[in-house]
Amino acid sequence: MDVKPPFKKTYYYRPNYLLPAIFSRNTIDGVYKNLEIRDDDTFLVTYAKSGTAWTNEMLKAILHVDDLEYLESVEFYKKLATLEFGPADHPDLVEENVFCPKSFIEDFIKDTPSPRVLSTHVLPEYMPTQFFQKKPKTVFVSRNPKDAVVSLYHWHHSIPFLSPCPWELLCEEYIKGNSICGAVWDFYKKWSKYKQEAWMLWLTFEDMKADPKQAIRKIADFISRPLTEEQLDAVVHSTSFQVMKERNERAVNPEFFFPNGHNSGESGKDGETKPKVQWQRKGQVGGWKNTFTVAQSEAFDKVYKEQMKGYEDVMYQF
Ligand code: A3P
């Protein structure tokens, strides 16, 4: 019997592995699984709301350092292309006529010249077949799971492909392992197996915040695109929170996501007025303390500690 997911616009892709409806099962099992990986591809692996867009723009800025205007001109969805996205074929999305008629990856394969940045949120076993054969350079970014779920809560309330839900419910389900990229501990445990591989660079959101220049230097050296001091400063500037925020507000072709005026702040069918999507919301470390109650925090810590036993090298201390 199918288990009912805890939130609208989500589904169990496999038992105990919840995904947002916008991550199409057909895409993951089909065109994504069969993706042909190129030698100069760079993958970016993150759990939801853990600095994907930020790191993605760092990678693109490094690759286009001689023409940073590129970040301004590239179409919005191509900048953010997360490979599992679309088409919006899940009944909850069809019912609300939510955007995204095609899978991102089809356009991505067709339109994106090398070197490509490929962004993904799935567990290792659902990566393209060629991934573990070719072992492309892969940047992994981890984020404090409490900050990530608070960010996710705001995301549920602003992005049309998710449904608003009370914080208490979202937090309770997160502690049970029900969240839109699956249980947060599964994600880190499974990916940590590759942390020491030469093809993987493991970064944290917190270190990136503390010293963005150093993070960019590491990424640039890792993808064999070392930068001069001047270039590093330019990339730091163009990927800073404020500059990214302003750029995304001027984004090219945001209608790709929001053809129905979903980003206008108008009421959606669920009756709630969704605020304008904020790709850059706060961008801070430790903000979870303003949202978690003490009881919620303790409940999370208990499960997290049990689950992360033996994985202390990728575990957060709160
Ligand atoms: P908050 O909601 O805590 O502010 P993702 O891109 O994986 O969805 O992650 C989103 C989180 O990254 C959001 O966190 C967002 O504000 C933050 N973020 C995006 N761009 C950033 C930047 N340039 N600097 C710092 N944080 C950034």
Side-chain angles (χ1 to χ4, degrees), residues 49-54 143 151 239 241 244 280-283:
K49 309 313 292 170
S50 296
T52 322
W54 186 20
R143 187 180 193 192
S151 181
T239 57
F241 185 85
M244 271 184 68
Q280 278 65 46
R281 191 184 63 91
K282 290 218 151 120

Side-chain angles (χ1 to χ4, degrees), residues 158-201:
S158 69
I159 193 89
F161 64 69
L162 290 175
S163 271
C165 76
W167 162 249
E168 292 69 28
L169 176 66
L170 192 83
C171 185
E172 191 184 312
E173 292 295 335
Y174 193 62
I175 294 170
K176 287 194 223 155
N178 283 320
S179 182
I180 60 161
C181 290
V184 69
W185 40 85
D186 280 349
F187 193 83
Y188 286 104
K189 287 197 287 195
K190 289 192 172 184
W191 276 108
S192 72
K193 185 171 169 203
Y194 310 102
K195 185 172 179 238
Q196 303 303 339
E197 298 283 346
W199 49 269
M200 176 168 277
L201 176 67

Side-chain angles (χ1 to χ4, degrees), residues 11-301:
Y11 68 106
Y12 285 104
Y13 168 76
R14 298 279 189 268
N16 305 319
Y17 187 34
L18 192 73
L19 290 181
I22 195 66
F23 286 13
S24 164
R25 181 188 291 280
N26 291 337
T27 299
I28 298 174
D29 291 344
V31 58
Y32 185 52
K33 200 69 191 166
N34 298 321
L35 178 71
E36 284 200 25
I37 293 177
R38 301 178 190 160
D39 290 343
D40 57 358
D41 282 344
T42 303
F43 273 75
L44 169 60
V45 179
T46 48
Y47 192 74
K49 309 313 292 170
S50 296
T52 322
W54 186 20
T55 318
N56 199 322
E57 294 219 10
M58 283 180 174
L59 278 158
K60 298 228 168 78
I62 293 166
L63 292 170
H64 295 269
V65 70
D66 294 326
D67 174 25
L68 287 173
E69 273 299 297
Y70 168 85
L71 297 176
E72 198 72 56
S73 62
V74 66
E75 284 185 280
F76 194 51
Y77 79 93
K78 286 189 193 158
K79 245 188 342 193
L80 288 178
T82 298
L83 300 173
E84 309 85 2
F85 264 53
D89 51 8
H90 185 284
D92 288 354
L93 300 180
V94 172
E95 185 197 334
E96 284 200 18
N97 195 18
V98 172
F99 73 113
C100 203
K102 295 185 276 187
S103 65
F104 270 30
I105 196 170
E106 280 171 47
D107 276 356
F108 186 83
I109 294 169
K110 203 157 39 77
D111 300 346
T112 313
S114 292
R116 306 182 300 184
V117 177
L118 302 99
S119 182
T120 187
H121 289 311
V122 295
L123 293 171
E125 58 265 45
Y126 306 119
M127 291 297 283
T129 307
Q130 285 190 357
F131 183 80
F132 289 106
Q133 296 162 358
K134 293 204 165 175
K135 301 179 177 160
K137 293 218 169 142
T138 300
V139 177
F140 184 99
V141 181
S142 93
R143 187 180 193 192
N144 179 327
K146 290 184 182 173
D147 279 338
V149 70
V150 171
S151 181
L152 180 62
Y153 168 69
H154 292 282
W155 200 231
H156 267 265
H157 286 259
S158 69
I159 193 89
F161 64 69
L162 290 175
S163 271
C165 76
W167 162 249
E168 292 69 28
L169 176 66
L170 192 83
C171 185
E172 191 184 312
E173 292 295 335
Y174 193 62
I175 294 170
K176 287 194 223 155
N178 283 320
S179 182
I180 60 161
C181 290
V184 69
W185 40 85
D186 280 349
F187 193 83
Y188 286 104
K189 287 197 287 195
K190 289 192 172 184
W191 276 108
S192 72
K193 185 171 169 203
Y194 310 102
K195 185 172 179 238
Q196 303 303 339
E197 298 283 346
W199 49 269
M200 176 168 277
L201 176 67
W202 188 286
L203 300 174
T204 71
F205 184 97
E206 294 73 24
D207 287 347
M208 287 164 60
K209 273 294 288 185
D211 191 346
K213 188 167 175 178
Q214 176 66 358
I216 292 164
R217 194 195 311 273
K218 277 190 192 165
I219 298 173
D221 291 348
F222 175 68
I223 61 170
S224 308
R225 295 281 188 128
L227 302 180
T228 63
E229 284 299 304
E230 208 177 312
Q231 288 172 326
L232 275 169
D233 289 336
V235 174
V236 170
H237 174 75
S238 69
T239 57
S240 67
F241 185 85
Q242 196 53 34
V243 170
M244 271 184 68
K245 187 175 169 71
E246 286 164 18
R247 187 164 56 236
N248 284 338
E249 278 165 9
R250 296 189 295 270
V252 178
N253 191 18
E255 308 76 29
F256 186 86
F257 283 95
F258 310 112
N260 306 320
H262 271 291
N263 198 30
S264 61
E266 292 160 11
S267 319
K269 266 203 181 160
D270 46 32
E272 169 157 324
T273 301
K274 295 214 174 204
K276 227 169 165 335
V277 174
Q278 284 188 305
W279 307 98
Q280 278 65 46
R281 191 184 63 91
K282 290 218 151 120
Q284 284 168 6
V285 171
W288 64 268
K289 291 183 184 130
N290 302 322
T291 303
F292 274 72
T293 63
V294 173
Q296 286 167 338
S297 177
E298 286 175 359
F300 179 84
D301 292 353

